[in-house]
Amino acid sequence: MGLFDGVLGNASKIDTRKIAAEFERILAPGEQVEHAYQLIRDYFVFTDKRLVLVDKQGLTGSKVEHHSIPYKSITHFSIETAGTFDLDAELKIWISGTPVPLQKQFNKTLNIYEVQAVLASYVLK
């Protein structure tokens, strides 16, 4: 991910092996990291059991919040593809009990359809 993408708030795909090693202490027995996307220092991770939003706080990023969302709590989601002049795509996820969706932006090089398919494969079980 380039610095310019980070400044714009766009997410890009990251290596799941790196995240799996970092998540070793918080994963449930048998839980596997399958997809991960980074947004500047923060990232969100799709495991086979839940969606985990990681918020690195402070100047050094040493304080970290892991927000786990079971797939069964996701009520619906939408994607908006990038256009000619709009260079980013957007994913919105609604969680039960929360009226405002989570919103994540992706740069044009990341396939928003892939992200939607991953989310759909877990939510629509």
Side-chain angles (χ1 to χ4, degrees), residues 4-16:
F4 190 62
D5 286 335
V7 171
L8 292 176
N10 293 329
S12 60
K13 193 166 188 171
I14 55 177
D15 186 2
T16 57

Side-chain angles (χ1 to χ4, degrees), residues 2 4 14 21-22 25 38 40 56 60-61 89-90 99-100 117 122:
F4 190 62
I14 55 177
E22 185 177 328
R25 297 183 311 181
Q38 187 167 10
I40 306 175
K56 294 192 175 189
T60 63
E90 186 173 72
V100 178
Y122 297 119

Side-chain angles (χ1 to χ4, degrees), residues 76-89:
H76 63 286
F77 53 92
S78 69
I79 60 170
E80 181 179 307
T81 60
T84 304
F85 298 108
D86 182 16
L87 299 178
D88 58 348

Side-chain angles (χ1 to χ4, degrees), residues 19 22 26 29 38-39 41 51 58 70 81 99:
I19 299 301
E22 185 177 328
I26 67 166
Q38 187 167 10
L39 177 64
R41 291 188 310 175
L51 173 61
T81 60

